[in-house]
Every structure is written in C-alpha cells, then in structure tokens.
Amino acid sequence: NAMEGVLPQIHQLGPLLGTLVVGDGGEAAILTFNQKVELIQDFTGDLGRLTHALKLVDTAYSKSHLIDATLQSIRLLKNRPPERRRILLLISETRDQGSESTLRDAVAEAEVNNILIYSVNISRLHAAGQIFPGGLALDVKALILEIYGGIKTVVVENPLSVLTRYTGGRQYAFFKQHAFEDAITKIGEEIHGQYLLTYTPSNIQEQGYHRIRVELNRTDYTVRSRPGYYSMDY
C-alpha cells in the first residue's frame, strides 16, 4: 500500500498547506477516500483545524475511490462563492478500483465548473514512466474523445493524470523524502503568481472536441491551460 508509506508526511502538511496554498483569506476542505469518501474537515481558513484534520488521515488495504472523491470535491467547490478560485489537490495513487462514478462524470463536472486540479502521484513505478518535465506521456485528446464518446470498453489506467492534464493543472511525482513539501511549495507559488485568462467560445453550438492553444511572445512567463474542451448536449 503506497499510501501507508507517505502518511507521516501527510500528517505534517498542515502548516505548509495553510500558508502556501490556502493563503491569507483563503479556505480549504479535506476529504479522504479510504474505504469510502469522507469529509473530515469542511471549508475553513483556520490553520489549526486543517492541521488537526490532516493528522487524522489514515489508510487501509482497500479499493481506491479516486473518481468518487474527485466528483464529491467538485460538488463542494462549485457551491463556493463565485469570486473564489476552485482548486483541487489530489494526493493519491493513479489507479481507481472502487468508484461508482465514471471518469466522464468527473471530467465533465470539472470542465463546466472551472476546477483546476493538481496532484501528487504516489504510485512511484507509474510516475517514473508517465511524468516528464514537459508534460505527460498521455494522449489526453484521444482519451477524452473515448470517454465522451461513451465507449464502454475504454480502460483508463491513469485517471489521475487525465484529470490533472485536462483541467490545466500539474502533476507531481513522489520520488524523494521531501516530495510533498516541494510539490506544495511549487503549487503555492504558482497559484499566487498567476494571471488568469478566460474567454467565451463563439462556436458553442458545434459539438465535439475543441482544442485550446495559448501563445505568448514573452519568454519570462509559462503558459498552462486546458488542452481543449468538449461541447455536447447533456
């Protein structure tokens, strides 16, 4: 159980998470998805409560409910005040073995509600082959087309990467002792140092996958965006 090995570091993440990610005036909620999805701390800006909740995180040898947890987290986030940014941090293995919800449900809800997903991948062997400095060795467009196309035989071995990449977030690998601290620090720096660009599509009636490409004529900024979006009748 990979999660069991990183529990001590998760228990100590409270102060760093509160300072670098939540920040002044921000709020966070904490969910676990062990044998079931459980909200152990509702939204709060109280660093003491967040720290205490993280120390209660436990693990068991059970199936992963990654997609169920993602969907429940999105439902909590979309009910937050509209001026709040909606960011989800997943600390998990890549696989999902027990969810009742589908990856299509989670992808669609994240897309509609502008959820930005970051993740720390604790599946070391998977991470070694699938995470690279420039992105993910993963054809997200092909997978999204299959997911939205309703192909029942589609098998996504790495839903964590799909959720992260498709929402414009970033995935970090757990390779070393201070991986969590490094990831939280980088995520915090990115969240608080971003310019956000949005637009309203003019071809919203055209169903199917629409690619997004953002370019800058400056080299001192890094662009990170969704690779595209899928328009369909629900």
Side-chain angles (χ1 to χ4, degrees):
N1 190 323
M3 198 68 193
E4 186 175 8
V6 300
L7 272 180
Q9 294 187 58
I10 292 177
H11 291 163
Q12 301 300 318
L13 278 182
L16 196 63
L17 182 69
T19 302
L20 294 178
V21 178
V22 178
D24 186 24
E27 293 182 309
I30 299 174
L31 291 88
T32 60
F33 45 104
N34 196 348
Q35 294 176 320
K36 61 180 180 179
V37 181
E38 183 178 2
L39 176 65
I40 62 173
Q41 175 58 60
D42 205 346
F43 280 97
T44 180
D46 188 322
L47 178 56
R49 290 186 177 183
L50 293 172
T51 299
H52 177 70
L54 284 169
K55 289 182 178 179
L56 297 178
V57 173
D58 200 358
T59 187
Y61 294 96
S62 181
K63 294 182 178 179
S64 169
H65 293 258
L66 170 63
I67 296 172
D68 284 343
T70 299
L71 197 56
Q72 185 165 327
S73 299
I74 291 172
R75 288 168 178 166
L76 288 173
L77 282 166
K78 73 179 184 180
N79 291 322
R80 304 302 295 161
E83 67 274 9
R84 297 271 186 183
R85 294 184 60 191
R86 298 168 178 176
I87 298 170
L88 173 58
L89 171 61
L90 294 169
I91 300 175
S92 173
E93 295 183 88
T94 59
R95 59 187 177 178
D96 183 293
Q97 297 176 314
S99 288
E100 296 180 3
S101 308
T102 66
L103 183 57
R104 171 174 165 168
D105 295 333
V107 165
E109 285 291 311
E111 181 176 75
V112 170
N113 293 287
N114 290 320
I115 309 295
L116 178 61
I117 299 178
Y118 290 90
S119 63
V120 177
N121 174 4
I122 63 171
S123 303
R124 300 187 188 187
L125 294 180
H126 287 284
Q130 297 183 17
I131 297 183
F132 298 89
L136 302 173
L138 178 71
D139 189 342
V140 175
K141 178 180 177 180
L143 282 173
I144 291 299
L145 290 175
E146 290 185 356
I147 290 167
Y148 274 107
I151 301 174
K152 295 185 178 181
T153 56
V154 61
V155 176
V156 180
E157 295 183 357
N158 194 337
L160 190 67
S161 291
V162 175
L163 290 164
T164 305
R165 180 72 178 90
Y166 189 62
T167 61
R170 187 174 180 183
Q171 185 172 350
Y172 295 86
F174 180 80
F175 283 140
K176 54 185 180 179
Q177 183 176 0
H178 298 292
F180 280 134
E181 292 89 339
D182 293 344
I184 297 298
T185 299
K186 291 176 181 177
I187 292 170
E189 291 173 348
E190 182 170 308
I191 289 173
H192 297 294
Q194 289 178 331
Y195 292 93
L196 301 181
L197 302 176
T198 63
Y199 79 101
T200 301
S202 59
N203 58 347
I204 195 169
Q205 299 302 323
E206 297 180 16
Q207 297 186 27
Y209 183 82
H210 300 268
R211 184 169 175 261
I212 294 176
R213 182 174 179 178
V214 182
E215 294 182 343
L216 288 177
N217 57 6
R218 295 180 58 171
T219 59
D220 51 339
Y221 288 94
T222 299
V223 174
R224 186 171 297 118
S225 72
R226 299 179 186 177
Y229 64 94
Y230 200 95
S231 177
M232 64 180 295
D233 291 329
Y234 289 93

